[in-house]
Each structure stands twice: as C-alpha cells, then as structure tokens.
C-alpha cells in the first residue's frame, strides 16, 4: 500500500499515512487531532541495473537535429 506525506496547517507536524491510492486525496487527521491538513508532493527515486547487465544501446552519431549538424550552418 502506498505511503503519503501530509502536513498539518494548525501545528506544522509532518506525518505519513499508508492508504489506498483511491483515498490519497481524502482528508487526513494529524496525530495531534487537527483536521486542517494538506497532502505534500513527494518525489520517488528509483535505481537499479538492467536485468541482463548489458549497457543500453547508444544512439548513432550525427543523424540530424540541430546538434547533429542538420540545421546549423
């Protein structure tokens, strides 16, 4: 189940709740019991390696576009 981060406007407490995605925008009560909360925008960092361990293919050099010499003169 996803975790969402909220901040209480009354006391400034930041807290997390685990809830279904369908309820992510539903009102959340802060641990101190205040109702005036806002959902924070969270960022997600994803890392890892390719399953085969092979590097991603590199694009061919020169092939157009301004950086490839197609329209710069």
């Amino acid at each position: 189940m996803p975790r969402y981060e909220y901040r209480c406007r009354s006391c400034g407490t930041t807290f997390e709740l685990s809830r279904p995605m369908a309820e992510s925008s539903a009102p959340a009560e802060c641990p101190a019991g205040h109702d005036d909360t806002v959902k924070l925008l969270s960022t997600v960092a994803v890392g890892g390696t390719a399953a085969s361990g092979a590097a991603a293919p590199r694009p061919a050099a020169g092939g157009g576009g301004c950086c490839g010499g197609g329209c710069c003169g």
Side-chain angles (χ1 to χ4, degrees), residues 4-5 13-14 16 19 21 25 29-30 35-36 43 46 49-50 55-57 61 63-65 71-72:
Y4 298 96
E5 192 173 22
T13 300
T14 300
E16 293 182 354
R19 48 176 33 179
M21 289 177 71
S25 296
E29 184 177 293
C30 92
D35 291 331
D36 189 13
T43 57
V46 179
T49 59
C71 63
C72 299

PDB file of all heavy atoms in Angstrom, residues 4-5 13-14 16 19 21 25 29-30 35-36 43 46 49-50 55-57 61 63-65 71-72:
ATOM      1  N   TYR A   4       1.707   8.158   1.901  1.00  0.00           N
ATOM      2  CA  TYR A   4       1.549   9.553   1.515  1.00  0.00           C
ATOM      3  C   TYR A   4       1.964  10.441   2.670  1.00  0.00           C
ATOM      4  O   TYR A   4       1.744  10.111   3.833  1.00  0.00           O
ATOM      5  CB  TYR A   4       0.096   9.845   1.119  1.00  0.00           C
ATOM      6  CG  TYR A   4      -0.338   9.039  -0.078  1.00  0.00           C
ATOM      7  CD1 TYR A   4      -1.030   7.844   0.073  1.00  0.00           C
ATOM      8  CD2 TYR A   4      -0.038   9.470  -1.361  1.00  0.00           C
ATOM      9  CE1 TYR A   4      -1.413   7.100  -1.027  1.00  0.00           C
ATOM     10  CE2 TYR A   4      -0.414   8.727  -2.466  1.00  0.00           C
ATOM     11  CZ  TYR A   4      -1.098   7.550  -2.293  1.00  0.00           C
ATOM     12  OH  TYR A   4      -1.475   6.814  -3.384  1.00  0.00           O
ATOM     13  N   GLU A   5       2.562  11.577   2.343  1.00  0.00           N
ATOM     14  CA  GLU A   5       3.045  12.503   3.349  1.00  0.00           C
ATOM     15  C   GLU A   5       2.098  13.708   3.420  1.00  0.00           C
ATOM     16  O   GLU A   5       1.682  14.236   2.394  1.00  0.00           O
ATOM     17  CB  GLU A   5       4.453  12.956   2.985  1.00  0.00           C
ATOM     18  CG  GLU A   5       5.163  13.690   4.087  1.00  0.00           C
ATOM     19  CD  GLU A   5       6.617  13.974   3.733  1.00  0.00           C
ATOM     20  OE1 GLU A   5       6.966  13.990   2.534  1.00  0.00           O
ATOM     21  OE2 GLU A   5       7.383  14.200   4.661  1.00  0.00           O
ATOM     22  N   THR A  13       3.024  19.855  12.024  1.00  0.00           N
ATOM     23  CA  THR A  13       3.530  18.484  12.046  1.00  0.00           C
ATOM     24  C   THR A  13       3.463  17.866  10.654  1.00  0.00           C
ATOM     25  O   THR A  13       2.476  18.020   9.944  1.00  0.00           O
ATOM     26  CB  THR A  13       2.696  17.618  13.018  1.00  0.00           C
ATOM     27  OG1 THR A  13       2.779  18.183  14.320  1.00  0.00           O
ATOM     28  CG2 THR A  13       3.172  16.178  13.052  1.00  0.00           C
ATOM     29  N   THR A  14       4.534  17.171  10.247  1.00  0.00           N
ATOM     30  CA  THR A  14       4.555  16.409   9.005  1.00  0.00           C
ATOM     31  C   THR A  14       4.434  14.939   9.385  1.00  0.00           C
ATOM     32  O   THR A  14       5.122  14.471  10.287  1.00  0.00           O
ATOM     33  CB  THR A  14       5.859  16.662   8.235  1.00  0.00           C
ATOM     34  OG1 THR A  14       5.945  18.060   7.936  1.00  0.00           O
ATOM     35  CG2 THR A  14       5.896  15.880   6.936  1.00  0.00           C
ATOM     36  N   GLU A  16       3.100  10.700   7.862  1.00  0.00           N
ATOM     37  CA  GLU A  16       2.823   9.806   6.741  1.00  0.00           C
ATOM     38  C   GLU A  16       1.658   8.901   7.074  1.00  0.00           C
ATOM     39  O   GLU A  16       1.473   8.521   8.228  1.00  0.00           O
ATOM     40  CB  GLU A  16       4.044   8.947   6.430  1.00  0.00           C
ATOM     41  CG  GLU A  16       5.218   9.706   5.891  1.00  0.00           C
ATOM     42  CD  GLU A  16       6.384   8.802   5.545  1.00  0.00           C
ATOM     43  OE1 GLU A  16       6.332   7.586   5.828  1.00  0.00           O
ATOM     44  OE2 GLU A  16       7.361   9.303   4.978  1.00  0.00           O
ATOM     45  N   ARG A  19      -2.268   4.339   2.753  1.00  0.00           N
ATOM     46  CA  ARG A  19      -3.671   4.233   2.357  1.00  0.00           C
ATOM     47  C   ARG A  19      -3.747   3.909   0.874  1.00  0.00           C
ATOM     48  O   ARG A  19      -2.808   4.158   0.129  1.00  0.00           O
ATOM     49  CB  ARG A  19      -4.441   5.506   2.684  1.00  0.00           C
ATOM     50  CG  ARG A  19      -3.778   6.766   2.245  1.00  0.00           C
ATOM     51  CD  ARG A  19      -4.534   8.059   2.467  1.00  0.00           C
ATOM     52  NE  ARG A  19      -5.372   8.147   3.610  1.00  0.00           N
ATOM     53  CZ  ARG A  19      -6.082   9.217   3.934  1.00  0.00           C
ATOM     54  NH1 ARG A  19      -6.020  10.293   3.197  1.00  0.00           N
ATOM     55  NH2 ARG A  19      -6.848   9.230   4.984  1.00  0.00           N
ATOM     56  N   MET A  21      -4.518   4.175  -3.092  1.00  0.00           N
ATOM     57  CA  MET A  21      -4.390   5.318  -3.990  1.00  0.00           C
ATOM     58  C   MET A  21      -5.722   6.049  -4.144  1.00  0.00           C
ATOM     59  O   MET A  21      -5.748   7.274  -4.259  1.00  0.00           O
ATOM     60  CB  MET A  21      -3.874   4.865  -5.355  1.00  0.00           C
ATOM     61  CG  MET A  21      -2.426   4.441  -5.339  1.00  0.00           C
ATOM     62  SD  MET A  21      -1.846   3.829  -6.924  1.00  0.00           S
ATOM     63  CE  MET A  21      -1.803   5.329  -7.864  1.00  0.00           C
ATOM     64  N   SER A  25      -6.351  11.530  -1.688  1.00  0.00           N
ATOM     65  CA  SER A  25      -6.781  12.924  -1.535  1.00  0.00           C
ATOM     66  C   SER A  25      -7.843  13.104  -0.461  1.00  0.00           C
ATOM     67  O   SER A  25      -8.302  14.217  -0.230  1.00  0.00           O
ATOM     68  CB  SER A  25      -7.322  13.444  -2.865  1.00  0.00           C
ATOM     69  OG  SER A  25      -6.292  13.462  -3.822  1.00  0.00           O
ATOM     70  N   GLU A  29      -6.341  13.290   9.266  1.00  0.00           N
ATOM     71  CA  GLU A  29      -6.222  13.929  10.570  1.00  0.00           C
ATOM     72  C   GLU A  29      -4.794  13.778  11.068  1.00  0.00           C
ATOM     73  O   GLU A  29      -4.222  12.700  10.996  1.00  0.00           O
ATOM     74  CB  GLU A  29      -7.195  13.269  11.549  1.00  0.00           C
ATOM     75  CG  GLU A  29      -7.225  13.918  12.912  1.00  0.00           C
ATOM     76  CD  GLU A  29      -8.256  13.272  13.821  1.00  0.00           C
ATOM     77  OE1 GLU A  29      -9.464  13.407  13.533  1.00  0.00           O
ATOM     78  OE2 GLU A  29      -7.840  12.623  14.797  1.00  0.00           O
ATOM     79  N   CYS A  30      -4.204  14.870  11.563  1.00  0.00           N
ATOM     80  CA  CYS A  30      -2.828  14.799  12.068  1.00  0.00           C
ATOM     81  C   CYS A  30      -2.809  14.040  13.395  1.00  0.00           C
ATOM     82  O   CYS A  30      -3.846  13.876  14.042  1.00  0.00           O
ATOM     83  CB  CYS A  30      -2.224  16.199  12.195  1.00  0.00           C
ATOM     84  SG  CYS A  30      -2.398  17.021  13.770  1.00  0.00           S
ATOM     85  N   ASP A  35      -7.719  18.753  11.925  1.00  0.00           N
ATOM     86  CA  ASP A  35      -8.275  18.350  10.626  1.00  0.00           C
ATOM     87  C   ASP A  35      -7.727  19.142   9.449  1.00  0.00           C
ATOM     88  O   ASP A  35      -7.891  18.741   8.309  1.00  0.00           O
ATOM     89  CB  ASP A  35      -9.802  18.524  10.633  1.00  0.00           C
ATOM     90  CG  ASP A  35     -10.492  17.532  11.559  1.00  0.00           C
ATOM     91  OD1 ASP A  35      -9.953  16.428  11.753  1.00  0.00           O
ATOM     92  OD2 ASP A  35     -11.577  17.867  12.074  1.00  0.00           O
ATOM     93  N   ASP A  36      -7.083  20.285   9.689  1.00  0.00           N
ATOM     94  CA  ASP A  36      -6.620  21.149   8.609  1.00  0.00           C
ATOM     95  C   ASP A  36      -5.245  20.681   8.120  1.00  0.00           C
ATOM     96  O   ASP A  36      -4.206  21.172   8.542  1.00  0.00           O
ATOM     97  CB  ASP A  36      -6.556  22.604   9.096  1.00  0.00           C
ATOM     98  CG  ASP A  36      -6.291  23.585   7.973  1.00  0.00           C
ATOM     99  OD1 ASP A  36      -6.401  23.191   6.790  1.00  0.00           O
ATOM    100  OD2 ASP A  36      -5.960  24.746   8.272  1.00  0.00           O
ATOM    101  N   THR A  43       8.572  12.996  -3.959  1.00  0.00           N
ATOM    102  CA  THR A  43       9.360  12.538  -5.093  1.00  0.00           C
ATOM    103  C   THR A  43       9.787  11.103  -4.837  1.00  0.00           C
ATOM    104  O   THR A  43       9.942  10.678  -3.701  1.00  0.00           O
ATOM    105  CB  THR A  43      10.603  13.413  -5.301  1.00  0.00           C
ATOM    106  OG1 THR A  43      11.368  13.406  -4.112  1.00  0.00           O
ATOM    107  CG2 THR A  43      10.208  14.839  -5.639  1.00  0.00           C
ATOM    108  N   VAL A  46      14.157   6.002  -8.087  1.00  0.00           N
ATOM    109  CA  VAL A  46      14.196   4.604  -8.482  1.00  0.00           C
ATOM    110  C   VAL A  46      15.578   4.333  -9.059  1.00  0.00           C
ATOM    111  O   VAL A  46      16.066   5.076  -9.904  1.00  0.00           O
ATOM    112  CB  VAL A  46      13.110   4.291  -9.530  1.00  0.00           C
ATOM    113  CG1 VAL A  46      13.185   2.834  -9.953  1.00  0.00           C
ATOM    114  CG2 VAL A  46      11.738   4.639  -8.993  1.00  0.00           C
ATOM    115  N   THR A  49      19.803  -1.774 -11.900  1.00  0.00           N
ATOM    116  CA  THR A  49      20.599  -2.101 -13.074  1.00  0.00           C
ATOM    117  C   THR A  49      19.747  -2.934 -14.013  1.00  0.00           C
ATOM    118  O   THR A  49      18.736  -3.492 -13.631  1.00  0.00           O
ATOM    119  CB  THR A  49      21.863  -2.900 -12.690  1.00  0.00           C
ATOM    120  OG1 THR A  49      21.448  -4.102 -12.021  1.00  0.00           O
ATOM    121  CG2 THR A  49      22.760  -2.104 -11.763  1.00  0.00           C
ATOM    122  N   ALA A  50      20.186  -3.014 -15.246  1.00  0.00           N
ATOM    123  CA  ALA A  50      19.481  -3.834 -16.227  1.00  0.00           C
ATOM    124  C   ALA A  50      19.565  -5.293 -15.814  1.00  0.00           C
ATOM    125  O   ALA A  50      20.564  -5.742 -15.263  1.00  0.00           O
ATOM    126  CB  ALA A  50      20.084  -3.627 -17.612  1.00  0.00           C
ATOM    127  N   ALA A  55      24.755  -2.795 -21.122  1.00  0.00           N
ATOM    128  CA  ALA A  55      24.519  -1.359 -21.179  1.00  0.00           C
ATOM    129  C   ALA A  55      23.455  -1.060 -22.231  1.00  0.00           C
ATOM    130  O   ALA A  55      23.281  -1.800 -23.192  1.00  0.00           O
ATOM    131  CB  ALA A  55      25.812  -0.627 -21.523  1.00  0.00           C
ATOM    132  N   ALA A  56      22.745   0.037 -22.058  1.00  0.00           N
ATOM    133  CA  ALA A  56      21.738   0.455 -23.023  1.00  0.00           C
ATOM    134  C   ALA A  56      22.427   0.834 -24.332  1.00  0.00           C
ATOM    135  O   ALA A  56      23.534   1.363 -24.321  1.00  0.00           O
ATOM    136  CB  ALA A  56      20.962   1.644 -22.473  1.00  0.00           C
ATOM    137  N   PRO A  57      21.791   0.580 -25.459  1.00  0.00           N
ATOM    138  CA  PRO A  57      22.403   0.929 -26.741  1.00  0.00           C
ATOM    139  C   PRO A  57      22.582   2.437 -26.867  1.00  0.00           C
ATOM    140  O   PRO A  57      21.747   3.208 -26.426  1.00  0.00           O
ATOM    141  CB  PRO A  57      21.415   0.393 -27.781  1.00  0.00           C
ATOM    142  CG  PRO A  57      20.140   0.196 -27.051  1.00  0.00           C
ATOM    143  CD  PRO A  57      20.489  -0.028 -25.617  1.00  0.00           C
ATOM    144  N   ALA A  61      25.896   8.456 -33.963  1.00  0.00           N
ATOM    145  CA  ALA A  61      26.381   9.845 -34.019  1.00  0.00           C
ATOM    146  C   ALA A  61      25.901  10.526 -35.295  1.00  0.00           C
ATOM    147  O   ALA A  61      25.776   9.920 -36.330  1.00  0.00           O
ATOM    148  CB  ALA A  61      27.906   9.841 -33.960  1.00  0.00           C
ATOM    149  N   GLY A  63      22.986  12.345 -37.072  1.00  0.00           N
ATOM    150  CA  GLY A  63      21.740  11.882 -37.564  1.00  0.00           C
ATOM    151  C   GLY A  63      20.703  12.946 -37.636  1.00  0.00           C
ATOM    152  O   GLY A  63      19.571  12.664 -37.818  1.00  0.00           O
ATOM    153  N   GLY A  64      21.099  14.211 -37.616  1.00  0.00           N
ATOM    154  CA  GLY A  64      20.094  15.227 -37.770  1.00  0.00           C
ATOM    155  C   GLY A  64      19.838  16.006 -36.490  1.00  0.00           C
ATOM    156  O   GLY A  64      20.480  15.796 -35.477  1.00  0.00           O
ATOM    157  N   GLY A  65      18.926  16.906 -36.588  1.00  0.00           N
ATOM    158  CA  GLY A  65      18.653  17.792 -35.468  1.00  0.00           C
ATOM    159  C   GLY A  65      19.720  18.851 -35.391  1.00  0.00           C
ATOM    160  O   GLY A  65      20.760  18.770 -36.034  1.00  0.00           O
ATOM    161  N   CYS A  71      20.752  21.547 -39.023  1.00  0.00           N
ATOM    162  CA  CYS A  71      20.211  22.862 -39.318  1.00  0.00           C
ATOM    163  C   CYS A  71      21.138  24.000 -38.901  1.00  0.00           C
ATOM    164  O   CYS A  71      20.778  25.156 -39.020  1.00  0.00           O
ATOM    165  CB  CYS A  71      18.848  23.054 -38.647  1.00  0.00           C
ATOM    166  SG  CYS A  71      18.912  23.008 -36.853  1.00  0.00           S
ATOM    167  N   CYS A  72      22.294  23.690 -38.402  1.00  0.00           N
ATOM    168  CA  CYS A  72      23.232  24.746 -38.014  1.00  0.00           C
ATOM    169  C   CYS A  72      24.130  25.045 -39.201  1.00  0.00           C
ATOM    170  O   CYS A  72      24.590  24.154 -39.895  1.00  0.00           O
ATOM    171  CB  CYS A  72      24.079  24.299 -36.834  1.00  0.00           C
ATOM    172  SG  CYS A  72      23.088  23.943 -35.370  1.00  0.00           S
TER     173      CYS A  72
END
